[in-house]
């Protein structure tokens, strides 16, 4: 895929070679493309080509078809691999929203997050839904109670850190962050949920692996 500039417009296109001829398609004419993820035993699972879009592309291009993305992703039979890929794409959408403040990216992230939770009960999917909501408004009483209940049900440090960030408990945020290994700290620093922390003064540079 490549970005083509026409005047001030930047379009994301994909080229397909057929019968020695190069044909260019709008990247968002999704019916032309098939994409698969392979599991550990070599089985292919269908996913959407749009889950491969990164923040760098999403911030640049002008021909994003948000409806095409919704249809493409939700029309594919659910598998855990497809769900994980969609979840990673949601995180990219949040990175784009945090930088651009464009409502379309928030709306798409919320739509896909709700769809994921309908497909599989997964603590990560639920926490990501709540971090989407937190970017727009305060939690309702019932939402706050559910997040508190999640805290009582889960023991993983990274999950407890995510919950603490959602609840805005600075003391717990610092405590659970410091309990993470350097490897997980490095991963967490790249997650958009970290953008919800108001005071990051406790975060020290993560040591580089030798």
């Amino acid at each position: 895929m490549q970005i083509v500039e026409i005047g001030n417009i930047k379009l994301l296109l994909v080229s397909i070679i057929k019968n020695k001829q190069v044909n260019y398609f709008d990247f968002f004419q999704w019916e032309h493309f098939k994409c698969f993820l392979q599991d550990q035993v070599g089985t292919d699972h269908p996913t959407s080509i749009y889950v491969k879009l990164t923040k760098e592309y999403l911030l640049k291009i002008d021909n994003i078809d948000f409806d095409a993305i919704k249809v493409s992703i939700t029309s594919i039979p659910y598998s855990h691999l497809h769900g994980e890929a969609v979840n990673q794409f949601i995180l990219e959408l949040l990175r784009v929203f945090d930088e651009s403040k464009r409502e379309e990216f928030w709306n798409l992230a919320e739509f896909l997050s709700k769809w994921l939770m309908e497909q599989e009960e997964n603590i990560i999917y639920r926490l990501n839904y709540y971090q989407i909501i937190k970017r727009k408004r305060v939690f309702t009483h019932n939402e706050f109670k559910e997040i508190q209940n999640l805290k009582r049900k889960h023991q993983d440090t990274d999950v407890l850190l995510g919950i603490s960030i959602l609840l805005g408990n600075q003391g717990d945020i610092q405590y659970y962050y410091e309990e993470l290994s350097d490897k997980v700290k490095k991963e967490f620093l790249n997650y958009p949920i970290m953008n919800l922390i108001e005071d990051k003064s406790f975060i020290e540079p993560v040591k580089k692996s030798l």
Side-chain angles (χ1 to χ4, degrees):
M1 56 187 182
Q2 63 188 92
I3 296 176
V4 175
E5 294 189 40
I6 302 176
N8 294 326
I9 305 298
K10 295 181 180 178
L11 305 177
L12 184 61
L13 305 179
V14 63
S15 59
I16 297 177
I17 300 176
K18 187 175 182 179
N19 298 326
K20 298 182 179 181
Q21 288 189 331
V22 180
N23 297 300
Y24 289 93
F25 294 94
D26 182 333
F27 186 75
F28 295 94
Q29 292 178 336
W30 62 272
E31 68 272 12
H32 291 285
F33 314 120
K34 293 183 178 181
C35 187
F36 296 89
L37 297 169
Q38 197 170 79
D39 62 24
Q40 293 179 341
V41 296
T43 303
D44 287 335
H45 299 268
T47 192
S48 168
I49 194 170
Y50 300 129
V51 301
K52 297 181 177 295
L53 286 170
T54 62
K55 182 183 80 168
E56 288 67 32
Y57 279 107
L58 292 168
L59 283 171
K60 288 180 181 177
I61 59 179
D62 298 302
N63 61 323
I64 301 175
D65 187 331
F66 293 93
D67 288 332
I69 294 174
K70 290 179 182 178
V71 172
S72 173
I73 288 176
T74 60
S75 64
I76 292 170
Y78 184 80
S79 68
H80 186 67
L81 278 181
H82 179 46
E84 287 183 336
V86 175
N87 185 62
Q88 290 302 313
F89 179 58
I90 289 171
L91 298 184
E92 285 298 299
L93 293 172
L94 291 181
R95 293 183 181 102
V96 174
F97 175 74
D98 286 347
E99 186 167 329
S100 69
K101 303 304 179 186
R102 287 178 57 186
E103 295 290 323
E104 311 97 293
F105 293 107
W106 186 93
N107 291 334
L108 180 57
E110 184 197 33
F111 174 87
L112 294 176
S113 183
K114 286 181 176 179
W115 177 80
L116 272 186
M117 291 191 297
E118 292 171 357
Q119 310 308 309
E120 179 182 349
E121 181 55 45
N122 183 305
I123 180 62
I124 301 302
Y125 297 170
R126 193 156 294 277
L127 293 184
N128 283 338
Y129 170 74
Y130 280 128
Q131 72 157 309
I132 293 168
I133 297 302
K134 189 176 176 69
R135 283 169 162 79
K136 279 300 189 84
R137 60 171 173 81
V138 298
F139 296 128
T140 65
H141 177 67
N142 287 337
E143 289 169 342
F144 184 80
K145 282 178 61 177
E146 182 177 4
I147 296 170
Q148 289 283 15
N149 288 332
L150 292 174
K151 186 176 182 179
R152 285 189 282 270
K153 292 178 182 178
H154 294 274
Q155 301 298 320
D156 292 341
T157 304
D158 55 346
V159 171
L160 292 173
L161 173 56
I163 291 171
S164 300
I165 294 171
L166 293 175
L167 296 176
N169 189 321
Q170 187 67 25
D172 283 353
I173 292 171
Q174 183 170 349
Y175 172 77
Y176 290 121
Y177 178 80
E178 291 174 350
E179 289 295 300
L180 298 176
S181 67
D182 283 348
K183 179 182 178 182
V184 179
K185 283 179 182 176
K186 187 174 182 180
E187 292 173 356
F188 233 91
L189 289 173
N190 289 321
Y191 293 156
I193 197 169
M194 296 295 285
N195 294 337
L196 300 178
I197 302 176
E198 294 184 7
D199 181 4
K200 300 179 185 176
S201 59
F202 64 92
I203 298 177
E204 297 179 354
V206 178
K207 296 177 183 177
K208 294 183 179 180
S209 301
L210 296 178

